[in-house]
Amino acid sequence: MKKINDSHNHMKRELSNRHVQLIAIGGTIGTGLFLGSSRSIAFTGPSIMLVYLLAGTFMFLLTRAMGEMLYMDPSQHTFINFITKYLGRPFGFFSGWTYWLSIVFMGMGELTAVGIYFQFWFPKIPMWLIQIAFLLMIMSINLITVKFFGEAEFWFAMIKISAIVALILTGIFMVAVNFKTPVGHASLVNITTHFQLFPNGWMKFVMAFPMVFFAYQGIEFVGITTSETKNPRQVLPRAINQIIFRILIFYVGALLAIMAIYPWRSLDPKQSPFVWVFKLLGISWAAGLINFVVLTAAASALNSVLYSSGRHLYQLALDSKGHFKKTFAVISDKGVPARAIMFSALVVAVSPIIYSIPTINDAFSVIASISSGAYLLIYILTLLAHRKYIQSSDYLPDGFLMPKPKILDPLTIAFMAFIFVSMGFQSDTLPAVVGTTIWVVVFGGYSWLKHRN
């Protein structure tokens, strides 16, 4: 087996297996599950579980492809480097900056969510003040040490997991005692009665896939932490292999519990199912409890955004020349890319300014949705790089191998392409398809002309 090349990795390896396991969970659980599950269920009923399973399986295969390359060379700070190495500099340059911008826009969205959730309790505090205060706090967590980041993310994830486990246990209890609800009784019959694969038509079933994909977006963060773990080749396979089980337990388990408690056609798409399930138990402060959980989920996502965007900007600087490299390819005494983290946070801080200008709100939403479309392109390029890797001299036959890559790589690429096409079926995601296409033509063309030689 090849030795780990650590010659360019000056970051401290302070993340333990405990940290990475919880970061992996945090990367697959977003605010969408707590707030948007009713809306996704309303799309296609109980068959939404099949959508989550299919999407989750392909996202798992994506992480296995990333994991195999990172296992071969865990000194890399980002999987984008493999795109550069195996597909060429134009694709790497395009992917590096596209991915960094996508993460930053994701951070802007999460920062806005933090402000909204915090105003639930303190409506008189200005939104911009809440956002800046939270951003400074999360940036400080990232600047102290990577171990401190891991510890914060561990507890953020624990809060999210506790809420989901509580919902699942509540569902089991209600079904077991045939709990009476305002519209009937809690029972598995609520799921199986008149079950249809396409209760609202096949188009709604297809349109549910982009929604579910967005819930999984960011699942690759677990791979980015590899270069800062103490035993990367021991920790990485364990963390990635358990992703599929977490998907089954947390996503499918939560949806199963919700639909068993309440007939799915009676759900209010605008209300969080977590809130009313806990209210059925007599918890009057359920809304405040779930608001705390989603606030934690948004803070966790913002924490991961600054961690990941800082590492990516550091790597972009490391691979560049001149003043940009001297400024951002720097590691602090704490062993973190402090300047890259602070610059990423500064760009995220533009969010309060944008949201304070009413005429720009819609434009910002379009840009944010374009970043989601760009994510699909990055994932496809990563899978193409993986195909090149297994044909290269770097291939590690005794490494962390993706199963049946000659079959599953093309299948996963086809699934990502299917998600991109299905985004064109909805008015709120159509701008992402158009905008991403324009971005590929303009910035992709620039990247090719700049680095074709």
Side-chain angles (χ1 to χ4, degrees):
M1 181 176 288
K2 297 178 183 178
K3 292 182 178 179
I4 296 174
N5 176 18
D6 210 27
S7 58
H8 294 94
N9 187 4
H10 306 293
M11 296 184 198
K12 294 181 180 180
R13 294 183 179 273
E14 293 184 343
L15 290 179
S16 66
N17 178 60
R18 174 175 65 91
H19 293 135
V20 175
Q21 293 293 331
L22 268 292
I23 289 169
I25 295 175
T28 58
I29 302 172
T31 56
L33 179 62
F34 299 105
L35 297 178
S37 349
S38 292
R39 184 167 178 260
S40 60
I41 290 171
F43 256 66
T44 189
S47 62
I48 191 67
M49 291 185 290
L50 179 59
V51 178
Y52 269 95
L53 277 172
L54 282 172
T57 300
F58 282 110
M59 294 302 284
F60 169 68
L61 292 173
L62 169 72
T63 57
R64 281 297 299 262
M66 288 180 182
E68 181 174 356
M69 294 185 289
L70 286 165
Y71 186 91
M72 179 272 297
D73 186 4
S75 66
Q76 296 297 333
H77 304 295
T78 167
F79 62 91
I80 299 295
N81 286 356
F82 298 113
I83 296 177
T84 305
K85 186 172 185 178
Y86 298 114
L87 297 183
R89 181 65 178 161
F91 291 99
F93 181 82
F94 170 83
S95 300
W97 282 106
T98 301
Y99 187 67
W100 182 77
L101 286 171
S102 296
I103 300 172
V104 166
F105 274 112
M106 187 192 300
M108 289 181 178
E110 297 295 348
L111 186 60
T112 302
V114 162
I116 293 169
Y117 302 145
F118 198 81
Q119 279 193 329
F120 176 84
W121 294 304
F122 304 100
K124 293 184 179 180
I125 299 179
M127 175 80 77
W128 66 267
L129 185 59
I130 295 169
Q131 290 175 307
I132 296 300
F134 256 88
L135 184 60
L136 289 173
M137 181 187 72
I138 299 298
M139 184 181 73
S140 300
I141 289 172
N142 275 268
L143 291 176
I144 296 172
T145 62
V146 69
K147 185 177 181 179
F148 194 74
F149 157 80
E151 203 62 38
E153 198 57 31
F154 176 89
W155 290 107
F156 282 150
M158 282 296 293
I159 292 170
K160 293 187 281 187
I161 292 166
S162 298
I164 296 170
V165 170
L167 176 77
I168 294 172
L169 292 177
T170 299
I172 293 171
F173 165 75
M174 288 182 168
V175 169
V177 302
N178 199 28
F179 192 93
K180 189 175 185 340
T181 69
V183 291
H185 292 84
S187 171
L188 292 176
V189 173
N190 291 330
I191 299 173
T192 57
T193 301
H194 305 302
F195 177 84
Q196 289 179 285
L197 189 61
F198 310 127
N200 294 323
W202 68 269
M203 184 67 77
K204 286 284 187 180
F205 183 79
V206 170
M207 288 165 63
F209 277 92
M211 189 184 305
V212 171
F213 168 77
F214 297 148
Y216 288 129
Q217 196 170 302
I219 198 173
E220 76 285 351
F221 283 172
V222 62
I224 297 171
T225 62
T226 303
S227 65
E228 292 171 82
T229 55
K230 296 175 181 177
N231 302 296
R233 283 183 170 158
Q234 292 177 22
V235 172
L236 182 66
R238 204 177 309 164
I240 288 179
N241 279 336
Q242 290 181 8
I243 286 177
I244 191 69
F245 300 108
R246 296 185 184 109
I247 289 167
L248 285 169
I249 293 170
F250 296 117
Y251 275 105
V252 179
L255 293 170
L256 193 65
I258 290 165
M259 289 184 286
I261 295 169
Y262 227 68
W264 71 272
R265 291 189 184 277
S266 302
L267 291 171
D268 181 358
K270 297 180 180 179
Q271 186 179 8
S272 166
F274 281 74
V275 172
W276 56 253
V277 165
F278 292 136
K279 277 186 175 179
L280 284 175
L281 284 178
I283 302 175
S284 58
W285 41 275
L289 172 65
I290 298 307
N291 190 72
F292 171 71
V293 173
V294 294
L295 176 61
T296 302
S300 170
L302 187 59
N303 195 31
S304 294
V305 160
L306 290 188
Y307 175 92
S308 182
S309 60
R311 269 68 182 172
H312 275 280
L313 186 62
Y314 168 78
Q315 189 64 54
L316 288 170
L318 206 61
D319 295 338
S320 66
K321 299 176 182 178
H323 185 68
F324 180 66
K325 182 172 185 176
K326 290 179 181 178
T327 303
F328 294 109
V330 178
I331 299 296
S332 72
D333 295 338
K334 301 291 185 180
V336 299
R339 291 182 184 177
I341 291 171
M342 287 189 288
F343 183 78
S344 297
L346 182 64
V347 178
V348 171
V350 173
S351 179
I353 299 173
I354 293 176
Y355 271 90
S356 67
I357 306 173
T359 55
I360 297 182
N361 280 352
D362 290 340
F364 180 76
S365 299
V366 171
I367 294 170
S369 66
I370 290 171
S371 75
S372 298
Y375 246 92
L376 284 164
L377 295 179
I378 303 301
Y379 288 161
I380 289 172
L381 288 173
T382 302
L383 290 160
L384 290 172
H386 179 254
R387 285 179 59 78
K388 289 285 187 181
Y389 158 72
I390 60 178
Q391 299 166 5
S392 73
S393 58
D394 294 331
Y395 179 66
L396 199 63
D398 57 345
F400 179 45
L401 304 182
M402 179 184 178
K404 305 290 183 185
K406 292 183 179 179
I407 299 172
L408 295 179
D409 268 343
L411 269 178
T412 309
I413 290 170
F415 177 77
M416 298 296 172
F418 161 73
I419 294 291
F420 187 75
V421 171
S422 62
M423 286 169 64
F425 296 160
Q426 299 183 62
S427 57
D428 55 343
T429 53
L430 179 60
V433 176
V434 177
T436 302
T437 304
I438 294 171
W439 175 257
V440 170
V441 172
V442 176
F443 188 65
Y446 170 77
S447 301
W448 179 259
L449 292 173
K450 181 178 176 66
H451 295 287
R452 59 184 173 178
N453 297 321

